[in-house]
């Protein structure tokens, strides 16, 4: 018998998002920024020597944190798809508002010559660059200025949302076939784009990361027994193999150990779903999970600004703590005035869904979007 959607996995979802955010903040604020300022953080050096290098985890856990966010998103989007296509589209209201705010804040900060987690680091931004970034053109290298590097996960999740919405009817009736179709499309794009150049190659580099939320969809399908475990294991292995193969074929991905970090994220998330489903999350974890995207996007602007401003005047450890505090404060503002109102718009797109409407109940829109 299939499990009902009332057997929610609130603790695993919140924990994965919360831990993922903390890993990203550690990677890019605590570890990367001091490196770029030619400062040695002894804690970071110790962790790199005894944890990162032995386990093969690159980017100071940064990609591992992003992989946790993406695999969790795949699970949540799939759960929403069962209740209707409009609920899936509602996920766009979770991702795009904090992305838009963070990119706008970053564009404003460039006018005061603030350092950003951007490509390149020192940039001169105009209105056209801002428009290119909020339209994701910079992620495809159509624009030469990428205001915030980590915003690529917003584009990946939005692409996954649109793909899931397009096949939501098939996902509800023949889940295994829907997942197989998505995996085949991703593999075809990745395989053909590796020999291409220009725009199509950039598309291939982004599409390959769709396998991470797709694995989250597989974990969801096995958890609710919509796909047999043996079939889920095979499809999960094929999805991971696609990423591992692309890592060897694309020079831009080679050497970063993305596939290994994804494996750690998937195994950890799957075990959490298996053993912790239905348990209530502690309040600090809920707070982090609700503000996940605001924290990930804003740390490359607000966190770096605070770090650079305080760095000449205070000890490095104090600067790191205050930079993180500034990021938390900015994310709280983003959540209260931008992210929290967005689900109300999403609910209007989902009027056909008449399930239990409570902050921690059966409505997938509430999960990770807004809580009372």
């Amino acid at each position: 018998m299939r499990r009902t959607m009332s057997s929610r996995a609130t603790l695993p979802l919140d924990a994965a998002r919360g831990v993922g955010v903390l890993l990203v903040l550690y990677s890019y604020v605590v570890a990367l920024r001091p490196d770029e300022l030619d400062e040695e953080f002894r804690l970071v050096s110790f962790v790199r020597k005894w944890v990162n290098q032995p386990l093969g985890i690159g980017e100071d856990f940064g990609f591992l944190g992003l992989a946790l966010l993406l695999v969790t998103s795949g699970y949540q989007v799939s759960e929403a798809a069962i209740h209707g296509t409009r609920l899936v589209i509602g996920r766009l209201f979770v991702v795009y508002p904090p992305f838009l705010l963070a990119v706008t804040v970053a564009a404003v900060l460039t006018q005061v010559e603030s350092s950003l987690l951007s490509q390149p680091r020192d940039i001169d931004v105009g209105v056209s660059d801002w428009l290119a970034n909020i339209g994701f053109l910079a992620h495809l290298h159509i624009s030469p200025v990428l205001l915030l590097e980590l915003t690529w996960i917003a584009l990946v999740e939005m692409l996954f949302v649109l793909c899931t919405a397009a096949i939501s009817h098939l996902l509800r009736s023949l889940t295994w076939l829907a997942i197989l179709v998505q995996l085949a499309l991703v593999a075809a794009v990745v395989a053909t784009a590796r020999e291409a150049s220009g725009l199509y190659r950039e598309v291939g580099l982004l599409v390959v990361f769709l396998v991470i939320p797709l694995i989250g969809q597989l974990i969801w399908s096995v958890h609710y027994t919509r796909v047999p475990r043996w079939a889920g294991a095979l499809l999960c292995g094929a999805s991971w193999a696609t990423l591992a193969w692309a890592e060897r074929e694309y020079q831009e991905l080679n050497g970063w150990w993305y596939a290994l970090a994804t494996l750690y994220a998937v195994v950890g998330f799957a075990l959490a779903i298996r053993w912790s489903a239905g348990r209530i999350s502690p309040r600090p974890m809920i707070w982090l999970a609700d503000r996940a995207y605001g924290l990930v996007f804003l740390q490359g602007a607000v966190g770096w600004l605070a770090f650079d401003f305080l760095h000449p005047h205070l000890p490095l450890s104090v600067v790191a703590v205050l930079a993180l505090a500034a990021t938390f404060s900015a994310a709280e503002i983003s959540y209260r005035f931008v992210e929290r109102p967005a689900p109300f718009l999403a609910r209007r797109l989902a009027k056909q869904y008449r399930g239990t409407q409570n902050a921690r109940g059966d409505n997938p829109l509430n999960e990770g979007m807004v809580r009372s």
Side-chain angles (χ1 to χ4, degrees), residues 156-157 159-160 163 186 206-215:
V156 169
E157 179 164 346
L159 286 174
F160 183 75
C163 290
V186 169
L206 282 169
V207 167
V208 68
F209 293 113
L210 285 174
V211 300
I212 304 178
L214 185 59
I215 292 175

Side-chain angles (χ1 to χ4, degrees), residues 246-258:
E247 192 175 85
R248 297 177 62 87
E249 295 296 320
Y250 285 82
Q251 183 179 0
E252 298 89 339
L253 304 178
N254 195 13
W256 291 100
W257 297 88
Y258 289 148

